[in-house]
Amino acid sequence: MKPPLLLIGQGSHDDAYAAEFGRFVHRLRCRLDQRAADVSGGYLEWATPRLSDSVASLVARGHHRLVALPLSLSRLSDEFGAAMELEQKRHPTLMYDYGRPLGPDPRVLALLAERLNEAAAEITKPSRPLELVGARPRLRAVDAPVEDSLHVEPGETAVVLVGEGSTDAAANAEIHRVSRLFWEMHAYDFMTVETAFVSVTPPGVPGGLERCRRLGAKRVIVVPYLLFAGGMLERVWAQALAYGAGHPDLDIRCAEVIGDCEILADVVIDRYEEALQLVP
């Protein structure tokens, strides 16, 4: 039997994130069950199951070697390595290999392009005000009796790609690299793809939107560079909403996250198989 795959999530207080993470773990479990490989998932903090509980369960079932794959689009942070080192101290017989982060895999960029196109489809409709709706705050176009907006070409539409933000300068630079790759591969018809961050480092979402406005954009589509819905996504949309309230002349659209899907599962399985090939 192949070593199990351990998916590591950062964790979130948001139930929507935990639910989507859980669905994705289940998707991988169903996919890899055909290859006789166990799949488990655990969080570093906040949510359950905790990483320590997932590792203990795998060891109890007789697994002493595993592939640990952080569900992350950016560089591995030190906390992932520290967490696994702690688990190895708790279970001296445990050995593990790391899978590479998911981004910027071409398939991940293609999924971002799908989310961009879904949001861009709203461009053909009359411009309508944005508001927060639903049990979880979300931005969406709201039906309202307003006048039709003028036709706007893709070249007058800008994109703001939003990463999480980090104290690690290299991780932030990677998001800028993703923005450039995304523009050249999937969004070259648009005016530009600007980079922004949810927190920690500038520019924030309002800063990215303001730059697009100053460049002359009439519409801006905010694309979260995030895997799953949750608190981070809510903050992206809330920041865009707050900026839009002060700039009613700028049409702001907000895309969805990448989300639980088969293509994302393909990328994870490839990372898993790649890690197995590196095992001596």
Side-chain angles (χ1 to χ4, degrees):
M1 177 179 286
K2 292 184 177 181
L5 170 62
L6 175 63
L7 298 172
I8 307 174
Q10 179 67 51
S12 172
H13 293 295
D14 190 277
D15 291 339
Y17 177 94
E20 195 161 13
F21 180 91
R23 287 193 296 269
F24 188 67
V25 171
H26 178 72
R27 182 187 297 273
L28 267 295
R29 189 171 291 134
C30 294
R31 290 277 302 270
L32 287 177
D33 182 61
Q34 302 170 9
R35 307 187 189 192
D38 200 350
V39 178
S40 185
Y43 298 103
L44 291 180
E45 52 189 347
W46 298 318
T48 56
R50 298 297 294 269
L51 176 64
S52 57
D53 295 332
S54 296
V55 171
S57 177
L58 288 171
V59 172
R61 298 201 299 270
H63 298 294
H64 297 280
R65 186 169 200 130
L66 56 84
V67 173
L69 197 154
L71 277 182
S72 171
L73 291 170
S74 58
R75 288 160 39 96
L76 290 181
S77 65
D78 293 339
E79 58 187 345
F80 285 104
M84 287 306 300
E85 288 178 6
L86 179 59
E87 294 308 314
Q88 201 166 34
K89 290 179 180 177
R90 288 173 174 159
H91 308 280
T93 62
L94 179 66
M95 301 180 68
Y96 62 91
D97 300 282
Y98 269 126
R100 286 191 299 124
L102 307 183
D105 188 283
R107 291 164 292 184
V108 170
L109 297 183
L111 286 170
L112 284 179
E114 287 185 15
R115 305 299 173 260
L116 170 62
N117 292 334
E118 289 164 1
E122 292 292 325
I123 289 177
T124 61
K125 301 178 181 179
S127 178
R128 290 168 291 188
L130 296 172
E131 70 174 11
L132 290 174
V133 298
R136 286 194 307 113
R138 286 196 169 196
L139 283 171
R140 74 174 186 189
V142 179
D143 292 326
V146 297
E147 297 181 1
D148 289 359
S149 60
L150 296 175
H151 176 70
V152 178
E153 297 290 340
E156 299 173 304
T157 301
V159 177
V160 176
L161 187 140
V162 185
E164 291 188 18
S166 172
T167 56
D168 183 350
N172 295 329
E174 178 69 12
I175 304 301
H176 282 276
R177 175 172 173 264
V178 171
S179 292
R180 183 67 194 190
L181 287 171
F182 185 60
W183 187 22
E184 294 202 7
M185 296 174 64
H186 296 285
Y188 209 68
D189 290 339
F190 292 89
M191 174 186 289
T192 185
V193 175
E194 293 295 321
T195 305
F197 300 94
V198 181
S199 61
V200 181
T201 188
V205 176
L209 290 168
E210 175 64 14
R211 180 165 175 79
C212 293
R213 188 187 69 82
R214 293 189 179 189
L215 287 173
K218 295 182 179 179
R219 285 191 174 110
V220 183
I221 302 175
V222 177
V223 179
Y225 188 55
L226 303 170
L227 285 176
F228 302 132
M232 284 288 184
L233 179 62
E234 292 172 7
R235 291 171 68 181
V236 171
W237 282 346
Q239 289 178 40
L241 174 69
Y243 180 88
H247 300 83
D249 56 323
L250 185 63
D251 184 9
I252 301 173
R253 308 289 179 178
C254 297
E256 292 281 353
V257 291
I258 292 171
D260 166 35
C261 62
E262 284 296 318
I263 295 177
L264 185 63
D266 290 339
V267 178
V268 169
I269 290 172
D270 284 351
R271 295 292 189 272
Y272 169 70
E273 295 290 351
E274 177 184 83
L276 291 181
Q277 292 176 8
L278 298 176
V279 176

